[in-house]
Amino acid sequence: MDGREQADTKDNPHGTGGAMARALLILGIILFPPGIMLPLFEAQSLIVFKVSYSILDTIAALIGAREPVLALLIATFSLGTPLLKVSMLIAIHRLPPSRVSPVAMRWIELLGKWSFTDVVVVALAIVIWSNEALSTAASQPGLWFFAASALSLMLASGVMARDLRERGVGQAAG
């Protein structure tokens, strides 16, 4: 470690973004698995038939229905994007600020734009199902866990970006 990296570590022993970024990062990681495994919404039609799907159930159902391209799209944006984002956030959080590339923060910002894609799609599905005759739809815990995970990771990246800007490290964006 050179002198500047040692100073960065002494200034903030909790990593880029400090203890707040670390707490938000941990919270986002903890909330992600229930967000993809628990049902996102439940639809009921004709008062008798109920169906609920988690993100993982949806991907499996699409594969079973011979819709691999749609399954791949959902897997990419629901699983791949958040996992890539959290991996990058962990790496940035652990690096001394002087070693964080502005390009890395721009990638975090780009990935963050897709964080709420599933939440919006499920909200639209709930509205559509609720407007059909003899059917209802309601959000389920998975939707809230997934949204809370995405929000936690978004806030963590914002805290890290602010820390980097305050330290004068490139053009970091949250």
Side-chain angles (χ1 to χ4, degrees), residues 77-117:
F77 290 110
S78 302
L79 303 176
T81 301
L83 292 174
L84 180 60
K85 180 177 181 175
V86 79
S87 298
M88 290 181 73
L89 284 173
I90 290 169
I92 289 169
H93 181 66
R94 295 184 55 145
L95 281 174
S98 60
R99 297 205 37 219
V100 176
S101 162
V103 173
M105 289 309 297
R106 281 194 286 276
W107 268 101
I108 292 295
E109 182 182 39
L110 179 66
L111 292 172
K113 291 181 180 183
W114 296 98
S115 295
F116 279 102
T117 304

Short mmCIF file of all heavy atoms in Angstrom, two decimals, residues 77-117:
data_model
loop_
_atom_site.label_atom_id
_atom_site.label_comp_id
_atom_site.label_asym_id
_atom_site.label_seq_id
_atom_site.Cartn_x
_atom_site.Cartn_y
_atom_site.Cartn_z
N PHE A 77 -32.21 -9.85 -16.33
CA PHE A 77 -32.52 -8.60 -15.65
C PHE A 77 -32.92 -8.80 -14.18
O PHE A 77 -32.73 -7.90 -13.37
CB PHE A 77 -33.61 -7.82 -16.40
CG PHE A 77 -33.10 -7.27 -17.70
CD1 PHE A 77 -33.52 -7.77 -18.90
CD2 PHE A 77 -32.16 -6.24 -17.69
CE1 PHE A 77 -33.02 -7.27 -20.10
CE2 PHE A 77 -31.67 -5.73 -18.88
CZ PHE A 77 -32.09 -6.24 -20.09
N SER A 78 -33.46 -9.95 -13.83
CA SER A 78 -33.89 -10.18 -12.45
C SER A 78 -32.82 -10.81 -11.58
O SER A 78 -32.81 -10.59 -10.38
CB SER A 78 -35.11 -11.11 -12.43
OG SER A 78 -36.15 -10.56 -13.17
N LEU A 79 -31.95 -11.60 -12.17
CA LEU A 79 -30.90 -12.28 -11.41
C LEU A 79 -29.51 -11.75 -11.77
O LEU A 79 -28.75 -11.37 -10.88
CB LEU A 79 -30.95 -13.80 -11.67
CG LEU A 79 -32.26 -14.51 -11.37
CD1 LEU A 79 -32.18 -15.97 -11.77
CD2 LEU A 79 -32.63 -14.37 -9.92
N GLY A 80 -29.20 -11.76 -13.04
CA GLY A 80 -27.85 -11.38 -13.48
C GLY A 80 -27.48 -9.95 -13.17
O GLY A 80 -26.40 -9.68 -12.61
N THR A 81 -28.35 -9.01 -13.52
CA THR A 81 -28.05 -7.60 -13.30
C THR A 81 -27.85 -7.28 -11.82
O THR A 81 -26.85 -6.66 -11.46
CB THR A 81 -29.14 -6.71 -13.93
OG1 THR A 81 -29.19 -6.99 -15.33
CG2 THR A 81 -28.86 -5.25 -13.72
N PRO A 82 -28.77 -7.69 -10.93
CA PRO A 82 -28.53 -7.39 -9.51
C PRO A 82 -27.27 -8.08 -8.96
O PRO A 82 -26.55 -7.48 -8.15
CB PRO A 82 -29.78 -7.93 -8.80
CG PRO A 82 -30.82 -8.02 -9.84
CD PRO A 82 -30.10 -8.28 -11.13
N LEU A 83 -27.00 -9.30 -9.37
CA LEU A 83 -25.80 -9.99 -8.88
C LEU A 83 -24.53 -9.32 -9.37
O LEU A 83 -23.55 -9.19 -8.62
CB LEU A 83 -25.84 -11.47 -9.27
CG LEU A 83 -26.92 -12.30 -8.57
CD1 LEU A 83 -26.97 -13.71 -9.14
CD2 LEU A 83 -26.70 -12.32 -7.07
N LEU A 84 -24.52 -8.88 -10.62
CA LEU A 84 -23.37 -8.15 -11.15
C LEU A 84 -23.19 -6.83 -10.41
O LEU A 84 -22.07 -6.46 -10.03
CB LEU A 84 -23.54 -7.92 -12.66
CG LEU A 84 -22.41 -7.16 -13.36
CD1 LEU A 84 -21.09 -7.91 -13.22
CD2 LEU A 84 -22.75 -6.96 -14.83
N LYS A 85 -24.30 -6.14 -10.17
CA LYS A 85 -24.23 -4.85 -9.47
C LYS A 85 -23.70 -5.04 -8.05
O LYS A 85 -22.81 -4.29 -7.62
CB LYS A 85 -25.61 -4.19 -9.42
CG LYS A 85 -25.57 -2.85 -8.70
CD LYS A 85 -26.91 -2.15 -8.70
CE LYS A 85 -26.79 -0.81 -7.99
NZ LYS A 85 -28.01 -0.04 -8.06
N VAL A 86 -24.19 -6.02 -7.32
CA VAL A 86 -23.74 -6.22 -5.94
C VAL A 86 -22.26 -6.63 -5.93
O VAL A 86 -21.50 -6.20 -5.05
CB VAL A 86 -24.63 -7.20 -5.16
CG1 VAL A 86 -24.35 -8.64 -5.48
CG2 VAL A 86 -24.50 -6.97 -3.67
N SER A 87 -21.83 -7.42 -6.89
CA SER A 87 -20.41 -7.80 -6.98
C SER A 87 -19.53 -6.58 -7.20
O SER A 87 -18.48 -6.43 -6.57
CB SER A 87 -20.18 -8.80 -8.11
OG SER A 87 -20.90 -9.98 -7.88
N MET A 88 -19.97 -5.70 -8.09
CA MET A 88 -19.21 -4.48 -8.35
C MET A 88 -19.22 -3.56 -7.14
O MET A 88 -18.19 -2.94 -6.81
CB MET A 88 -19.76 -3.77 -9.59
CG MET A 88 -19.48 -4.52 -10.88
SD MET A 88 -20.11 -3.66 -12.33
CE MET A 88 -18.92 -2.32 -12.43
N LEU A 89 -20.36 -3.44 -6.46
CA LEU A 89 -20.42 -2.60 -5.27
C LEU A 89 -19.50 -3.11 -4.17
O LEU A 89 -18.83 -2.32 -3.49
CB LEU A 89 -21.86 -2.50 -4.75
CG LEU A 89 -22.81 -1.61 -5.53
CD1 LEU A 89 -24.23 -1.75 -5.01
CD2 LEU A 89 -22.37 -0.16 -5.47
N ILE A 90 -19.45 -4.42 -3.99
CA ILE A 90 -18.55 -4.99 -2.98
C ILE A 90 -17.10 -4.66 -3.33
O ILE A 90 -16.32 -4.25 -2.47
CB ILE A 90 -18.76 -6.51 -2.85
CG1 ILE A 90 -20.11 -6.81 -2.19
CG2 ILE A 90 -17.63 -7.16 -2.06
CD1 ILE A 90 -20.53 -8.27 -2.25
N ALA A 91 -16.74 -4.83 -4.60
CA ALA A 91 -15.37 -4.54 -5.03
C ALA A 91 -15.04 -3.07 -4.80
O ALA A 91 -13.97 -2.74 -4.27
CB ALA A 91 -15.19 -4.92 -6.49
N ILE A 92 -15.93 -2.17 -5.19
CA ILE A 92 -15.69 -0.74 -5.02
C ILE A 92 -15.62 -0.38 -3.54
O ILE A 92 -14.77 0.41 -3.13
CB ILE A 92 -16.78 0.09 -5.75
CG1 ILE A 92 -16.58 -0.04 -7.26
CG2 ILE A 92 -16.75 1.55 -5.32
CD1 ILE A 92 -17.73 0.49 -8.08
N HIS A 93 -16.48 -0.97 -2.75
CA HIS A 93 -16.50 -0.68 -1.31
C HIS A 93 -15.18 -1.08 -0.66
O HIS A 93 -14.71 -0.39 0.25
CB HIS A 93 -17.68 -1.40 -0.66
CG HIS A 93 -17.81 -1.16 0.81
ND1 HIS A 93 -18.13 0.08 1.31
CD2 HIS A 93 -17.65 -1.97 1.87
CE1 HIS A 93 -18.18 0.01 2.64
NE2 HIS A 93 -17.88 -1.23 3.00
N ARG A 94 -14.60 -2.16 -1.12
CA ARG A 94 -13.37 -2.68 -0.50
C ARG A 94 -12.11 -1.98 -0.99
O ARG A 94 -11.08 -2.02 -0.33
CB ARG A 94 -13.27 -4.17 -0.75
CG ARG A 94 -14.38 -4.94 -0.04
CD ARG A 94 -14.19 -6.38 -0.21
NE ARG A 94 -12.83 -6.69 0.26
CZ ARG A 94 -12.49 -7.79 0.88
NH1 ARG A 94 -13.38 -8.70 1.08
NH2 ARG A 94 -11.25 -8.01 1.26
N LEU A 95 -12.16 -1.37 -2.17
CA LEU A 95 -10.99 -0.70 -2.72
C LEU A 95 -10.74 0.64 -2.03
O LEU A 95 -11.69 1.32 -1.65
CB LEU A 95 -11.18 -0.40 -4.22
CG LEU A 95 -10.99 -1.53 -5.20
CD1 LEU A 95 -11.38 -1.05 -6.60
CD2 LEU A 95 -9.56 -2.02 -5.20
N PRO A 96 -9.49 1.02 -1.93
CA PRO A 96 -9.22 2.39 -1.49
C PRO A 96 -9.79 3.35 -2.54
O PRO A 96 -9.68 3.07 -3.75
CB PRO A 96 -7.69 2.46 -1.45
CG PRO A 96 -7.22 1.05 -1.45
CD PRO A 96 -8.27 0.25 -2.14
N PRO A 97 -10.40 4.44 -2.13
CA PRO A 97 -11.02 5.36 -3.10
C PRO A 97 -10.09 5.79 -4.23
O PRO A 97 -10.55 5.98 -5.36
CB PRO A 97 -11.44 6.55 -2.24
CG PRO A 97 -11.70 5.95 -0.90
CD PRO A 97 -10.65 4.87 -0.76
N SER A 98 -8.81 5.92 -3.96
CA SER A 98 -7.87 6.35 -5.00
C SER A 98 -7.75 5.32 -6.12
O SER A 98 -7.29 5.65 -7.20
CB SER A 98 -6.50 6.63 -4.39
OG SER A 98 -5.99 5.45 -3.78
N ARG A 99 -8.19 4.09 -5.89
CA ARG A 99 -8.09 3.04 -6.90
C ARG A 99 -9.41 2.76 -7.60
O ARG A 99 -9.48 1.87 -8.45
CB ARG A 99 -7.57 1.76 -6.25
CG ARG A 99 -6.15 1.99 -5.71
CD ARG A 99 -5.29 0.80 -5.57
NE ARG A 99 -5.41 -0.20 -6.59
CZ ARG A 99 -5.36 -1.50 -6.32
NH1 ARG A 99 -5.20 -1.93 -5.10
NH2 ARG A 99 -5.45 -2.38 -7.29
N VAL A 100 -10.47 3.50 -7.27
CA VAL A 100 -11.77 3.28 -7.89
C VAL A 100 -11.84 4.07 -9.19
O VAL A 100 -11.61 5.27 -9.22
CB VAL A 100 -12.92 3.69 -6.95
CG1 VAL A 100 -14.26 3.56 -7.66
CG2 VAL A 100 -12.90 2.86 -5.68
N SER A 101 -12.19 3.39 -10.25
CA SER A 101 -12.29 4.01 -11.56
C SER A 101 -13.66 4.68 -11.73
O SER A 101 -14.69 4.09 -11.36
CB SER A 101 -12.13 2.93 -12.63
OG SER A 101 -12.62 3.36 -13.86
N PRO A 102 -13.69 5.88 -12.30
CA PRO A 102 -14.98 6.50 -12.61
C PRO A 102 -15.82 5.63 -13.56
O PRO A 102 -17.04 5.65 -13.51
CB PRO A 102 -14.60 7.83 -13.29
CG PRO A 102 -13.21 8.11 -12.81
CD PRO A 102 -12.57 6.76 -12.61
N VAL A 103 -15.15 4.84 -14.39
CA VAL A 103 -15.85 3.93 -15.31
C VAL A 103 -16.64 2.90 -14.50
O VAL A 103 -17.78 2.57 -14.85
CB VAL A 103 -14.85 3.25 -16.27
CG1 VAL A 103 -15.53 2.18 -17.11
CG2 VAL A 103 -14.19 4.28 -17.16
N ALA A 104 -16.07 2.41 -13.42
CA ALA A 104 -16.77 1.44 -12.57
C ALA A 104 -18.04 2.05 -11.99
O ALA A 104 -19.09 1.40 -11.96
CB ALA A 104 -15.85 0.95 -11.45
N MET A 105 -17.96 3.28 -11.54
CA MET A 105 -19.15 3.93 -10.99
C MET A 105 -20.20 4.18 -12.07
O MET A 105 -21.39 4.09 -11.81
CB MET A 105 -18.78 5.23 -10.26
CG MET A 105 -18.04 5.01 -8.95
SD MET A 105 -18.84 3.84 -7.80
CE MET A 105 -20.38 4.67 -7.44
N ARG A 106 -19.78 4.47 -13.29
CA ARG A 106 -20.75 4.63 -14.38
C ARG A 106 -21.46 3.31 -14.67
O ARG A 106 -22.66 3.29 -14.97
CB ARG A 106 -20.08 5.21 -15.62
CG ARG A 106 -19.87 6.71 -15.51
CD ARG A 106 -19.53 7.34 -16.85
NE ARG A 106 -18.18 7.06 -17.28
CZ ARG A 106 -17.10 7.74 -16.90
NH1 ARG A 106 -17.22 8.73 -16.06
NH2 ARG A 106 -15.92 7.41 -17.35
N TRP A 107 -20.73 2.18 -14.58
CA TRP A 107 -21.35 0.87 -14.76
C TRP A 107 -22.38 0.60 -13.67
O TRP A 107 -23.45 0.06 -13.94
CB TRP A 107 -20.30 -0.24 -14.79
CG TRP A 107 -19.83 -0.52 -16.18
CD1 TRP A 107 -18.68 -0.10 -16.76
CD2 TRP A 107 -20.53 -1.26 -17.18
NE1 TRP A 107 -18.62 -0.54 -18.06
CE2 TRP A 107 -19.74 -1.25 -18.34
CE3 TRP A 107 -21.75 -1.93 -17.21
CZ2 TRP A 107 -20.13 -1.89 -19.51
CZ3 TRP A 107 -22.13 -2.57 -18.37
CH2 TRP A 107 -21.33 -2.54 -19.49
N ILE A 108 -22.05 0.97 -12.45
CA ILE A 108 -23.00 0.80 -11.34
C ILE A 108 -24.26 1.59 -11.62
O ILE A 108 -25.38 1.11 -11.42
CB ILE A 108 -22.36 1.24 -10.00
CG1 ILE A 108 -21.24 0.29 -9.61
CG2 ILE A 108 -23.41 1.34 -8.91
CD1 ILE A 108 -21.66 -1.12 -9.30
N GLU A 109 -24.10 2.82 -12.09
CA GLU A 109 -25.26 3.66 -12.41
C GLU A 109 -26.10 3.02 -13.52
O GLU A 109 -27.32 2.97 -13.43
CB GLU A 109 -24.81 5.05 -12.82
CG GLU A 109 -25.97 5.99 -13.12
CD GLU A 109 -25.49 7.35 -13.57
OE1 GLU A 109 -24.50 7.43 -14.32
OE2 GLU A 109 -26.12 8.33 -13.17
N LEU A 110 -25.43 2.51 -14.55
CA LEU A 110 -26.13 1.87 -15.66
C LEU A 110 -26.91 0.64 -15.18
O LEU A 110 -28.09 0.47 -15.52
CB LEU A 110 -25.13 1.48 -16.75
CG LEU A 110 -25.70 0.77 -17.97
CD1 LEU A 110 -26.60 1.72 -18.75
CD2 LEU A 110 -24.58 0.27 -18.85
N LEU A 111 -26.27 -0.20 -14.38
CA LEU A 111 -26.95 -1.40 -13.86
C LEU A 111 -28.10 -1.02 -12.94
O LEU A 111 -29.13 -1.69 -12.90
CB LEU A 111 -25.95 -2.28 -13.11
CG LEU A 111 -24.88 -2.95 -13.95
CD1 LEU A 111 -23.85 -3.63 -13.07
CD2 LEU A 111 -25.50 -3.95 -14.92
N GLY A 112 -27.94 0.05 -12.19
CA GLY A 112 -28.98 0.51 -11.28
C GLY A 112 -30.26 0.92 -11.98
O GLY A 112 -31.35 0.85 -11.41
N LYS A 113 -30.14 1.34 -13.22
CA LYS A 113 -31.33 1.76 -13.97
C LYS A 113 -32.27 0.59 -14.24
O LYS A 113 -33.44 0.79 -14.50
CB LYS A 113 -30.92 2.44 -15.28
CG LYS A 113 -30.27 3.77 -15.03
CD LYS A 113 -29.88 4.46 -16.30
CE LYS A 113 -29.24 5.78 -15.93
NZ LYS A 113 -28.88 6.60 -17.03
N TRP A 114 -31.76 -0.63 -14.16
CA TRP A 114 -32.58 -1.81 -14.39
C TRP A 114 -33.09 -2.42 -13.09
O TRP A 114 -33.80 -3.41 -13.11
CB TRP A 114 -31.80 -2.85 -15.19
CG TRP A 114 -31.46 -2.35 -16.55
CD1 TRP A 114 -30.29 -1.81 -16.95
CD2 TRP A 114 -32.34 -2.30 -17.67
NE1 TRP A 114 -30.38 -1.44 -18.27
CE2 TRP A 114 -31.63 -1.72 -18.74
CE3 TRP A 114 -33.67 -2.68 -17.88
CZ2 TRP A 114 -32.19 -1.53 -19.98
CZ3 TRP A 114 -34.21 -2.49 -19.14
CH2 TRP A 114 -33.48 -1.92 -20.17
N SER A 115 -32.73 -1.85 -11.95
CA SER A 115 -33.05 -2.44 -10.65
C SER A 115 -34.53 -2.62 -10.40
O SER A 115 -34.95 -3.59 -9.78
CB SER A 115 -32.46 -1.61 -9.52
OG SER A 115 -31.07 -1.61 -9.56
N PHE A 116 -35.34 -1.69 -10.83
CA PHE A 116 -36.76 -1.75 -10.54
C PHE A 116 -37.60 -2.25 -11.70
O PHE A 116 -38.82 -2.18 -11.68
CB PHE A 116 -37.27 -0.38 -10.08
CG PHE A 116 -36.97 -0.10 -8.64
CD1 PHE A 116 -35.94 0.73 -8.28
CD2 PHE A 116 -37.73 -0.68 -7.64
CE1 PHE A 116 -35.65 0.98 -6.95
CE2 PHE A 116 -37.46 -0.44 -6.31
CZ PHE A 116 -36.41 0.39 -5.96
N THR A 117 -36.97 -2.81 -12.72
CA THR A 117 -37.70 -3.31 -13.89
C THR A 117 -38.76 -4.32 -13.48
O THR A 117 -39.92 -4.21 -13.88
CB THR A 117 -36.73 -3.95 -14.90
OG1 THR A 117 -35.74 -2.99 -15.24
CG2 THR A 117 -37.45 -4.40 -16.14
#
